[in-house]
Amino acid sequence: MQYITILGATGSIGVSTLDVLARHPEQYSVYALSAHTRVAELAAQCLQFRPQRAVVATADAALELTRLLRGQGVDTQVEYGEAALCAIASAPQVTGVMAAIVGAAGLAPTLAAARAGKKVLLANKEALVMSGQLFIDAVHDNGAVLLPIDSEHNAIFQCMPHAHGRAPGAAGVAKIVLTASGGPFLTRDVETLDKVTPDQACKHPTWAMGRKISVDSATMMNKGLEVIEAHWLFGAPAEQIEVLIHPQSVIHSMVSYIDGSVLAQLGNPDMRTPIAHALAYPQRIASGVAQLDLAQVATLQFERPDFRRFPCLALAFDALRAGGTAPALLNAANEVAVQAFLDEQIGFRQIDRVIAHVIETVPHGAASSIEAVMEQDRLARAAAHAYIAQRLAA
Ligand code: NDP
Ligand code: MG
């Protein structure tokens, strides 16, 4: 029996993970679940999966969850706060941790899971983008196993399983090709992009996801973060990572080898496939996803990304090349800008301007410790908020 903690159980990835786990009750038991604000949804999950522990953000939310659970006769232990998140990620009974909190808030518990030597199923790409080598070192130093959930990285992992943790050059890899749908604004007139609403930006053509990553897909910052994620997961330099637009989202990514071979992983765009893959690795389990019907898909298209349409992608490549804490600055500025866009404080085309401003004005340094990274995260957020406030006042 494997005992699984899901950090961010009420989100898109969390719900998909529970869907897969529910299909295999003889193999997996839910040890703990966490949510931030959606307490009623978490209560319903606890009723169905009967975890030993559940974690929410505040004391009030914990009281509310306890009231809901006791009313249903569920005796799950309720806790709150970041220390409790770290505790459910590192408890001795836990075998696997699904890291599916969105944004920098997921760094501490995800790192706690790595330091406790767990099998870490990584959806929370922001945590790895921020902490980079520090996170990879925590994995290696503590005998943790890091398995990518992000569909592109899971695809790459499947196309070069033996290169896990080694430089791709060693495995004869010439290039990693990250595919991208291009999001909802791939063909929209660039001049009209400042008029788009949060709901339009969140209407992804092929994937159903949380709102933050949906906006990231529309700006292609999501692909930028994924380039940095691929760098750390597979040890590939920026020059060996290529982005290719593929609107159908059927090929989830590819690896080109020096002999001319290109390996790709294909599937319907449904996150239950990479989730099931990582949960069962190196075995395979059913995920509930329908078999891919290529005759039905009929056409697969590809094109190179236009960096002028998607300046966030260029900013991410620049941050990766700059190194140190530059990716942490990029990530923090992006989180603030995306939230301001979702709150209708700034327009869509201002997202990249906020990020560029933060990167230009906050000096980056060496990513020498998690504390140094968190300090840069704090400085970047302050600079982004100040810039947005100034624009609003103008
Ligand atoms: P959602 O917004 O749907 O879910 C986020 C989860 O994190 C929720 O459970 C939420 O709780 C919780 N949460 C939010 N803020 C905090 C916080 N400050 N502290 C603790 N918990 C918090 O996001 P997704 O599931 O879409 O994405 C999760 C992660 O997975 C992201 O890093 C994303 O980039 C990555 N990912 C997602 C994919 C997808 O298909 N959705 C694909 C590839 C990667 P509550 O519900 O209570 O607010
Ligand atoms: Mg992805």
Side-chain angles (χ1 to χ4, degrees), residues 6 34 38 40 50 59 89 106 130 132 153 168 183 203 269 272 291 298 338 347:
I6 305 178
S34 91
R38 284 183 271 189
R50 305 286 170 140
M130 290 170 73
H153 307 75
K203 215 181 195 135
R272 291 176 300 173
Q291 292 296 313
V338 169

Side-chain angles (χ1 to χ4, degrees), residues 121-132:
L121 313 181
L122 186 76
N124 182 201
K125 65 192 87 184
E126 296 93 343
L128 181 56
V129 166
M130 290 170 73
S131 60

Side-chain angles (χ1 to χ4, degrees), residues 3-5 29-33 50-54 87-88 91 93-94:
Y3 292 89
I4 308 295
T5 283
S29 171
V30 176
Y31 173 76
L33 298 174
R50 305 286 170 140
Q52 293 181 36
R53 301 164 76 173
I88 61 168
Q93 300 95 310
V94 174

